[in-house]
Amino acid sequence: MKLKKLVVASLLATCGQAIAATDSEFVVKDIKVEGLQRVALGAALTYMPVKVGDKMNDFRVAQLIRALYASSHFEKITISRDDEVLIIRVRERPTIANIVFEENDDIKDEQLQQSLDDNNVRIGEPLDKTILTSIENGLKDFYYSIGKYNADVNAIVTPLPRNRVDLKLSFNEGDAAEIKQINIVGNSLFSDEELLNQMELQFGAPWWNFLAETRYQKQKMSGDLEKIRSYYMDRGYLRFSNDSTQVSMSPDKSGVYITMNISEGEQYTISGIELSGDLLGNEDVLKMLLPLRDGQLYSLAQVTYAEEFISKYLGRFGYAFSTVTTIPEINDEDHTVKLTLSVDPGQRINVRRISFKGNTVTGDEVFRRELLQLEGSWLSNNLLEASKNRISRLTYVEENDFETVRIPGKEDQVDVEFTVKEQPSGSFTAGIGYGDATGLSLQAGIQQDNFLGTGKQLAFNVNTISYQQSATISYTDPYFTVDGISLGGSIFYSEFDAGRANLVQYNSKTFGVGANFGYPINEYNRINFGLTYKHQEVSPTQAYEQFRNFYDVFSDPANPDASLVFDTFQASLGWYRSTLNRGIFPTAGSMQRATLAATTPNSDLNFYKFNFESKFYYPLDSRHKWSLLARAQFGYGNGYGTINGNDQLLPFFEFFRAGGSDTVRGFENNTIGPKGILRSPRTITGPDGTTIVLSPEYDNISTTTRTLGGNAMAVAGLELIVPTPLVEEDFNNSVRTSLFVDVGNLWDTEFNADEYVGKTDQYGRVIDDYSDPSTYRASTGVSVQWLSPMGPMIFSFSKVLKSYEGDDTKVFTFNVGQTF
């Protein structure tokens, strides 16, 4: 709440003694000033409208006193004479040595200091004690406006040596007055309950409704009255009025009783709609697009929308300051109203200059290339809003806004000023982290999304966690050309231990190099192309049945324990669409991403993978404190072509994985999906002592506790993003809290379910159909995401709603350094 501006009461005190009455004027031959400490004699003389040689009289004495008080350096002035010598004795105002605030919870120290600064009360300045009462009363008025009628504020001045003082503002805020009852008098069309539901202020809320606002606040009361008025006006009650509102208080000032007296009136319908004024030849188009129609109930909301729509429509053509006024002609006899929308487009406005402020790191040209509104062109509100959204989507921008500034003497020109608040665009990491899934991790690297303020991305990272060690160097120029074509490349190396990542045991070493470029289709859509060379060495794993066909093709029968080595060239085609309002922690808009990657025919492995991801953010309030996120992700991969007469398959080390903070929370990372199946022949001893191998239908079958992954995946989630408790509003863009429901599954379309129908494993459990997409998992809970100095952190408390035997579930998980 904005503090009420403190008004300084200027007191011209005549506390100086006048010169003894004389029968005649005298000429000043000398001036003596006594009592100066901090103020220099020369400075004091400059404040005086009297100098040696002037004649003194009663008028000049009063003039001198006023001038010295106006300098704000003195709190007492005495004037006398010794013959023709003018003697001025002063007591300087004390200097403020320190300012302290005590017991202020509802008002931040920064807000208090700003209010004092506005009144020139700051450390090092002289203290004018006459304004302290005004400061106290102004602060009390603020507390009264938020319902704290027992609040008290005291300004305590403590003298110090050398004419200095300590100033302490001591607060006794007390408790806010609770609303005990709200009465509505005069309503017959709508019940009290219906009208009270429109109000933010409430009374008698149950204990579990901790979000209910039961404290009386004057500003919120005004807003609630307007909401009730709009409720009636939007339903045709054009003559509705709020006749009076009485607010009474209990004797101890702890309770408030509110009574509203209203007159509902009759419902009115629209009898005609006319557009008048200069419509620039768009009258027919506007009539067709407006929501107002003859015969429908009058609605203030639709009238307001029509006015705003016309203004925005004309703003597209440079008429940025058009005004639209609705003139109602009310017929109380038949309860109809004729609406005339008077349009004044004003002058067509041209943009002279676009400037940026607040950007201390990023160059203006980085933001300027995101602009759709150009200098020298007609001003378009649509293009300005689109430009603002493009800048907001940059990951190194926390927030931005713009204003149009009229140019004096140029009625048809404006300047546009963008104010940008940057956020850290990169980091230097060298430390130790820990995650439930990753265990101990060592990190070192540099990552910069806004390298040297150019908007280019550069990263060098070395990471080691329990199951993976990797090193990557990458570079991307998002504006390789002025048309927005991006170009990037990367070099990478990785060692992966699948057993430590909750997968079946195998190890792989990979190094490669890749390049990519992107092409913008329009404002929201972009396509990307990439080509990556990868050299991969995979150690052999156990002979799981799901891997048998793959190993039969690529393993060396003469040396089955040898590692498999592959060289592949992978081409990718991607589509990306985004209307998100921010690059980090968005609250509105949507994002869709689809990627098709496939190895080239000359590669050792021939396979393809398709992945689609979509997110929709729906803000639930105007300030975007509450939002709903709906997300979904689908993936599928398989081989293509044949080798040595066998169909190519998706390599098991390219399988999708599910479970964890980025898919289905409440399940350990990479634990959802098919388990490994091992089978061995069963033997018996014959009558003659020989060993007899039984037919395959009698094989011993066992399943692993670890997953293999799968070639098909589907994950979805619904999240309610809520304000983070106990966190100040300034940190909304770095901390996010949400209530979630996650659903997902991972399966293998190549699994031969018929071969295992009815069979049991070593524990007597029936083997699951790992090709069945309907065996989904589900969880719910709360998640907190924090962009900490050491990297992104995710904390999740989960309750599993649906699981299967053998699933590894977690109530609490946290991870450091993962992306969102």
Side-chain angles (χ1 to χ4, degrees):
M1 179 178 298
K2 186 178 181 181
L3 288 173
K4 181 179 180 181
K5 185 176 181 181
L6 304 178
V7 180
V8 180
S10 177
L11 176 62
L12 181 58
T14 57
C15 60
Q17 289 181 335
I19 295 177
T22 59
D23 295 332
S24 61
E25 299 178 333
F26 74 95
V27 176
V28 179
K29 291 184 177 181
D30 193 12
I31 300 175
K32 291 184 178 181
V33 182
E34 299 176 355
L36 292 177
Q37 296 183 22
R38 178 177 50 84
V39 180
L41 175 60
L45 292 174
T46 62
Y47 303 138
M48 302 180 189
V50 176
K51 62 182 181 295
V52 174
D54 289 346
K55 291 182 179 181
M56 287 300 297
N57 52 34
D58 291 344
F59 173 76
R60 298 298 297 274
V61 169
Q63 188 181 38
L64 175 58
I65 291 175
R66 285 194 297 267
L68 289 174
Y69 274 123
S71 70
S72 75
H73 290 290
F74 311 108
E75 66 178 9
K76 185 176 182 180
I77 302 167
T78 303
I79 298 177
S80 61
R81 62 174 288 189
D82 183 4
D83 292 331
E84 281 75 28
V85 177
L86 181 65
I87 301 174
I88 305 172
R89 294 182 177 89
V90 299
R91 187 168 68 199
E92 294 181 356
R93 288 176 176 170
T95 302
I96 300 174
N98 193 25
I99 299 176
V100 177
F101 308 114
E102 286 189 352
E103 304 298 329
N104 54 304
D105 294 327
D106 285 325
I107 311 179
K108 298 179 182 178
D109 287 359
E110 295 80 5
Q111 292 176 291
L112 288 169
Q113 189 58 59
Q114 182 61 49
S115 295
L116 295 181
D117 288 345
D118 293 342
N119 292 278
N120 203 33
V121 178
R122 57 175 67 90
I123 295 176
E125 296 291 333
L127 174 64
D128 184 358
K129 296 180 181 179
T130 62
I131 70 170
L132 293 182
T133 300
S134 297
I135 292 174
E136 291 173 341
N137 291 335
L139 291 171
K140 289 178 183 178
D141 287 343
F142 164 75
Y143 282 110
Y144 296 165
S145 70
I146 63 173
K148 293 196 170 185
Y149 296 99
N150 288 313
D152 193 19
V153 181
N154 291 309
I156 303 172
V157 179
T158 304
L160 298 174
R162 301 190 304 277
N163 198 28
R164 298 176 302 129
V165 295
D166 275 348
L167 175 60
K168 179 169 70 175
L169 289 178
S170 179
F171 296 82
N172 181 11
E173 296 181 331
D175 296 326
E178 294 283 332
I179 300 175
K180 299 299 184 181
Q181 192 169 355
I182 300 177
N183 299 312
I184 302 178
V185 179
N187 58 308
S188 59
L189 300 169
F190 302 104
S191 66
D192 288 357
E193 183 179 4
E194 287 178 278
L195 298 180
L196 291 174
N197 285 338
Q198 310 306 313
M199 300 178 62
E200 186 174 356
L201 297 180
Q202 300 180 26
F203 73 96
W207 65 269
W208 48 263
N209 188 6
F210 56 89
L211 296 177
E213 184 57 80
T214 60
R215 302 191 312 175
Y216 176 76
Q217 298 186 39
K218 184 177 180 180
Q219 292 82 353
K220 289 188 177 181
M221 186 67 221
S222 299
D224 285 342
L225 292 174
E226 184 59 31
K227 288 178 182 178
I228 292 178
R229 175 180 176 271
S230 298
Y231 188 77
Y232 276 92
M233 297 285 279
D234 292 344
R235 288 158 178 77
Y237 296 95
L238 185 57
R239 293 295 193 185
F240 170 84
S241 65
N242 178 40
D243 298 330
S244 64
T245 301
Q246 292 87 39
V247 179
S248 57
M249 193 177 306
S250 61
D252 61 357
K253 297 183 180 180
S254 64
V256 172
Y257 299 84
I258 302 171
T259 301
M260 296 181 291
N261 297 280
I262 65 174
S263 297
E264 296 176 316
E266 301 290 338
Q267 268 188 325
Y268 285 74
T269 57
I270 299 175
S271 60
I273 302 166
E274 289 187 4
L275 296 176
S276 65
D278 186 1
L279 299 172
L280 308 174
N282 296 300
E283 183 174 0
D284 293 338
V285 175
L286 290 174
K287 278 190 173 181
M288 181 175 60
L289 295 177
L290 291 181
L292 302 174
R293 295 289 183 269
D294 291 353
Q296 73 181 36
L297 283 176
Y298 172 86
S299 170
L300 178 62
Q302 290 189 347
V303 171
T304 302
Y305 172 81
E307 294 174 346
E308 294 175 349
F309 177 82
I310 294 174
S311 294
K312 290 181 179 180
Y313 185 83
L314 297 178
R316 298 172 58 185
F317 307 105
Y319 298 92
F321 300 106
S322 60
T323 58
V324 182
T325 304
T326 301
I327 304 171
E329 297 180 27
I330 303 174
N331 188 330
D332 290 322
E333 294 183 359
D334 59 4
H335 302 124
T336 60
V337 57
K338 180 181 178 182
L339 302 177
T340 300
L341 281 73
S342 177
V343 180
D344 179 10
Q347 283 192 303
R348 200 174 191 187
I349 305 300
N350 186 274
V351 177
R352 184 184 71 168
R353 184 181 297 113
I354 301 176
S355 61
F356 298 88
K357 63 180 181 180
N359 51 313
T360 58
V361 176
T362 310
D364 284 5
E365 65 277 3
V366 176
F367 297 127
R368 195 172 295 278
R369 66 195 184 190
E370 302 293 338
L371 297 177
L372 297 178
Q373 172 72 67
L374 303 179
E375 295 175 341
S377 64
W378 301 120
L379 177 65
S380 170
N381 292 331
N382 284 355
L383 294 180
L384 279 177
E385 286 293 340
S387 300
K388 174 186 173 181
N389 291 336
R390 285 169 62 96
I391 294 174
S392 296
R393 284 195 286 269
L394 298 174
T395 57
Y396 39 88
V397 173
E398 182 173 339
E399 57 185 39
N400 82 102
D401 207 347
F402 66 87
E403 63 174 338
T404 55
V405 180
R406 294 263 198 173
I407 301 173
K410 301 284 186 180
E411 295 185 359
D412 61 343
Q413 287 188 343
V414 296
D415 287 340
V416 179
E417 294 182 354
F418 278 85
T419 301
V420 179
K421 183 179 180 181
E422 297 172 304
Q423 64 183 4
S425 57
S427 61
F428 174 78
T429 59
I432 300 175
Y434 182 82
D436 273 5
T438 61
L440 184 66
S441 65
L442 303 176
Q443 304 170 357
I446 299 174
Q447 182 166 332
Q448 178 59 256
D449 290 342
N450 187 20
F451 182 61
L452 298 179
T454 63
K456 299 176 183 178
Q457 301 168 1
L458 176 66
F460 174 74
N461 285 291
V462 176
N463 293 289
T464 174
I465 53 182
S466 62
Y467 59 79
Q468 187 174 27
Q469 295 78 46
S470 63
T472 304
I473 301 175
S474 62
Y475 174 82
T476 301
D477 184 352
Y479 276 86
F480 182 68
T481 71
V482 295
D483 298 325
I485 294 178
S486 63
L487 180 66
S490 63
I491 302 174
F492 55 89
Y493 175 82
S494 173
E495 294 185 10
F496 181 70
D497 184 344
R500 292 189 174 184
N502 301 318
L503 300 169
V504 294
Q505 180 61 51
Y506 69 86
N507 295 318
S508 71
K509 294 182 180 180
T510 307
F511 67 83
V513 59
N516 61 82
F517 73 94
Y519 181 81
I521 300 175
N522 55 32
E523 170 64 15
Y524 303 112
N525 294 272
R526 187 178 190 88
I527 55 175
N528 299 285
F529 305 91
L531 182 63
T532 301
Y533 164 73
K534 184 186 297 184
H535 176 86
Q536 192 164 11
E537 181 179 340
V538 182
S539 66
T541 183
Q542 288 184 278
Y544 299 107
E545 289 302 303
Q546 295 98 317
F547 295 170
R548 184 180 299 278
N549 291 339
F550 183 84
Y551 269 97
D552 287 345
V553 172
F554 293 103
S555 64
D556 182 0
N559 188 10
D561 295 330
S563 296
L564 306 179
V565 179
F566 306 103
D567 290 298
T568 59
F569 295 88
Q570 185 168 294
S572 63
L573 171 64
W575 164 69
Y576 179 75
R577 177 184 180 275
S578 175
T579 62
L580 299 176
N581 62 336
R582 282 205 298 264
I584 300 293
F585 287 162
T587 56
S590 67
M591 182 280 293
Q592 290 78 38
R593 179 188 287 114
T595 304
L596 176 63
T599 57
T600 58
N602 62 323
S603 300
D604 292 340
L605 298 170
N606 295 145
F607 64 88
Y608 63 89
K609 293 177 71 175
F610 174 77
N611 205 326
F612 175 78
E613 181 183 6
S614 180
K615 293 181 179 180
F616 288 89
Y617 290 86
Y618 304 91
L620 302 179
D621 67 309
S622 58
R623 299 182 63 187
H624 291 204
K625 286 188 173 182
W626 300 74
S627 295
L628 191 65
L629 165 61
R631 62 182 180 89
Q633 184 178 358
F634 305 95
Y636 178 76
N638 218 325
Y640 71 89
T642 60
I643 180 171
N644 300 328
N646 297 292
D647 290 337
Q648 291 264 28
L649 299 172
L650 181 68
F652 61 87
F653 44 84
E654 293 286 346
F655 278 178
F656 296 102
R657 300 159 190 165
S661 60
D662 56 347
T663 52
V664 183
R665 284 159 285 195
F667 293 82
E668 184 61 273
N669 283 25
N670 307 328
T671 59
I672 293 177
K675 312 296 184 183
I677 297 177
L678 296 169
R679 62 189 301 172
S680 59
R682 180 175 296 179
T683 60
I684 59 175
T685 302
D688 55 357
T690 60
T691 299
I692 302 174
V693 178
L694 300 180
S695 61
E697 61 183 295
Y698 297 104
D699 284 354
N700 293 310
I701 299 177
S702 62
T703 57
T704 65
T705 58
R706 297 179 179 269
T707 59
L708 304 176
N711 72 330
M713 178 184 67
V715 174
L718 194 65
E719 296 189 41
L720 176 63
I721 300 169
V722 302
T724 304
L726 306 179
V727 173
E728 296 183 3
E729 190 172 349
D730 295 342
F731 296 96
N732 282 347
N733 292 335
S734 59
V735 180
R736 166 165 288 184
T737 301
S738 61
L739 309 176
F740 66 84
V741 175
D742 290 344
V743 180
N745 191 26
L746 191 71
W747 67 98
D748 183 2
T749 63
E750 298 297 316
F751 179 72
N752 187 359
D754 294 337
E755 186 174 347
Y756 295 96
V757 170
K759 289 184 170 58
T760 58
D761 62 11
Q762 71 273 29
Y763 303 109
R765 297 177 303 198
V766 176
I767 296 176
D768 295 329
D769 181 1
Y770 296 135
S771 66
D772 184 4
S774 66
T775 56
Y776 66 90
R777 277 77 168 171
S779 65
T780 186
V782 59
S783 176
V784 178
Q785 304 175 20
W786 176 32
L787 293 176
S788 73
M790 63 181 297
M793 290 187 176
I794 303 177
F795 304 84
S796 298
F797 293 87
S798 308
K799 176 179 175 58
V800 172
L801 301 177
K802 185 173 183 180
S803 61
Y804 290 84
E805 189 175 0
D807 285 344
D808 188 359
T809 61
K810 295 283 185 181
V811 174
F812 171 74
T813 58
F814 82 94
N815 288 281
V816 179
Q818 294 190 359
T819 56
F820 300 107

